[in-house]
Amino acid sequence: MPKDSLSITDNRTGKTYEVPIADGTIRAMDLRQIKTGADDFGLMTYDPAFMNTASCRSAITFIDGDKGILRYRGYPIEELAAHSTYLETAYLVINGELPTKAQLDEWQFQLADHYIVHENLKKFVDGFHYNAHPMGMLVSTVGALSTYYEDSKDIFNPVARQHQILRLLGKVPTLAAYAYRHSRGLPYEYPDPRLSYVGNFMAMLWKRTGAEERYAPNPVLERALDLLFILHADHEQNCSANAMRAVGSSHADPYVSVAAAAAALYGPLHGGANEEVLKMLREIGSKDAVPGYIKRVKQGEMRLMGFGHRVYKNYDPRAKIIREAAHSVFNVTGTNPLLDIALELERIALSDEYFVSRKLYPNVDFYSGLIYEAMGFPTSMFTVLFALARTAGWIAQWQEMLLDKEQKIARPRQIFTGHATRAYVPVDKRK
Ligand code: SDX
């Protein structure tokens, strides 16, 4: 009997089965042999929300939730945050290795070639209501990109696939900036390929049309935004990565798959939490009101937004880095008065048994919004910034899924709880 195996006795039949253990898992399909008779379909696993199910093999991101460890392709997030750029990290996450200088220069040059979007897309964005949420605009316009590129469905052609990757990474910031400019009633700014990836994004957001020939991003804010994008680049099999993989598994093109992933991220339990944190801090209003708010959370009235995580049962390493980065931003912009409320909330929560027993710590969304707001972003843009940065991770997850010979179209099973068969009743006979 191999030691890496599970011996299962089915007490319904007295039969025993040996199921191999590999990588800390058993294959769910190995349970199908466990039957009570020839007509029995065999055992399945039941795992709502995939609390304990590995859906894939992945080499992109490693998280140790208990130790608060996060690594992209083996590199600790703390080292990438200190030394890398978002563009370099996006290359690493997607291609698996840090680029050489020549590769990085070529990557930057090629991406800059794809910042521009078809002029028609402006009409698309113009069609949105004046107060349309920028995330709703981004989900729609990214999906619309699939209508411009016929080769987008040629997903197993590596040259065509690389072309879509460059288009997505190049154009998502432009679409994000267009959504912002529309929500402000401002004319769209064309991309400026002479600027850095983040600098160009800032220029498309904040260049004052006509008032300045060339936008010069504040280097401290440019660096802070670049750092935030690094921290948000990927996070293994989260809800939006799962959406990207599931939609991509039907061999839909990468644009509509990214639109699906962005739609998942939009939810307040996922990427939408950074916007909810600011609303929560405003609702609390002052440090003195924190204990009362925490009391309501503990009574189950609402959740502490920006706290808790499915995987991290320790402090989210990204939240630590963001909290430190906040100071450099506030030195330029002036501090955000909500920071004191956030720090008091963290101080009290981390010593309260309700949060400690449930291992609820600040996550990536707890402090990021404070920086975004201090930089001048409205809360409605916070999740758009998250989606912009996570586009690299979604692409990496999508490409890894496509090239994984074990993967096929995602199609879970169910436990049927509905009616057994019953005869149709004509409408005049129904009670
Ligand atoms: C992101 O997956 C990722 O990697 C996501 C992400 C990424 O980079 O992609 O890291 C980004 O989405 C971060 C999470 C942002 N969301 C929030 O901050 C929203 C608030 N947090 C939660 O709703 C919650 O913590 C989740 C959704 C993040 C995780 O939920 P789980 O793992 O499903 O945990 P759960 O809902 O089963 O809760 C376990 C217990 C429950 O209490 P009991 O029912 O056992 O008494 O903890 C409680 C929950 O009520 N709980 C909270 C809480 N989060 C969980 N109680 C108060 N406040 C909270 N925030």
Side-chain angles (χ1 to χ4, degrees), residues 346-360:
E346 177 184 340
R347 185 186 68 78
I348 296 179
L350 294 191
S351 59
D352 185 303
E353 196 277 335
Y354 176 93
F355 298 94
V356 174
S357 65
R358 291 170 175 79
K359 298 186 177 179
L360 301 176

Side-chain angles (χ1 to χ4, degrees), residues 49-68:
F50 314 123
M51 295 287 283
N52 192 40
T53 292
S55 62
C56 64
R57 291 174 177 281
S58 180
I60 300 167
T61 294
F62 174 77
I63 301 173
D64 181 322
D66 293 329
K67 298 190 184 113

